[in-house]
Amino acid sequence: MYAYMRRTDTEVDNFIIPSVLKDYRLIPSILLGQELHGFLVKNGFHGDVFVCNALIMMYSEVGSLASTRLLFDNIENKDAISWSTMIRS
């Protein structure tokens, strides 16, 4: 889905990204997740708590606990989802 969106220049927003990251959890590939994470940082989504929560879950599911913790530590406005996702990880 992400590759298709990039090829067709589909506008990406903070509501689409969590759905894409949910799909990435089903394909446990840290490289694909890191590629999408880089795209999100470049496009200014790294400060959105919904996107960060989805990234935390994705990194947790692919087994990258160091990335999970680093991302969690850098969220400025953690919400209940952030905390519960981190505890679950």
Side-chain angles (χ1 to χ4, degrees):
M1 183 156 85
Y2 168 69
Y4 173 79
M5 291 169 56
R6 293 290 305 266
R7 280 194 311 268
T8 60
D9 290 327
T10 302
E11 187 174 337
V12 178
D13 63 23
N14 63 329
F15 298 105
I16 293 173
I17 294 302
S19 297
V20 173
L21 286 166
K22 184 178 180 182
D23 291 343
Y24 274 38
R25 291 189 336 237
L26 302 174
I27 308 167
S29 170
I30 187 89
L31 295 177
L32 290 174
Q34 288 173 332
E35 177 185 338
L36 182 55
H37 190 175
F39 170 81
L40 297 173
V41 170
K42 283 183 184 178
N43 289 282
F45 291 101
H46 61 280
D48 186 282
V49 71
F50 298 113
V51 171
C52 288
N53 290 340
L55 279 167
I56 289 170
M57 182 63 77
M58 185 272 305
Y59 278 122
S60 169
E61 293 289 327
V62 299
S64 180
L65 295 181
S67 295
T68 302
R69 177 64 190 265
L70 182 63
L71 187 58
F72 177 79
D73 289 344
N74 287 313
I75 296 176
E76 289 183 26
N77 299 315
K78 296 173 183 73
D79 62 7
I81 306 290
S82 308
W83 284 98
S84 64
T85 304
M86 189 62 196
I87 290 168
R88 180 186 171 277
S89 299

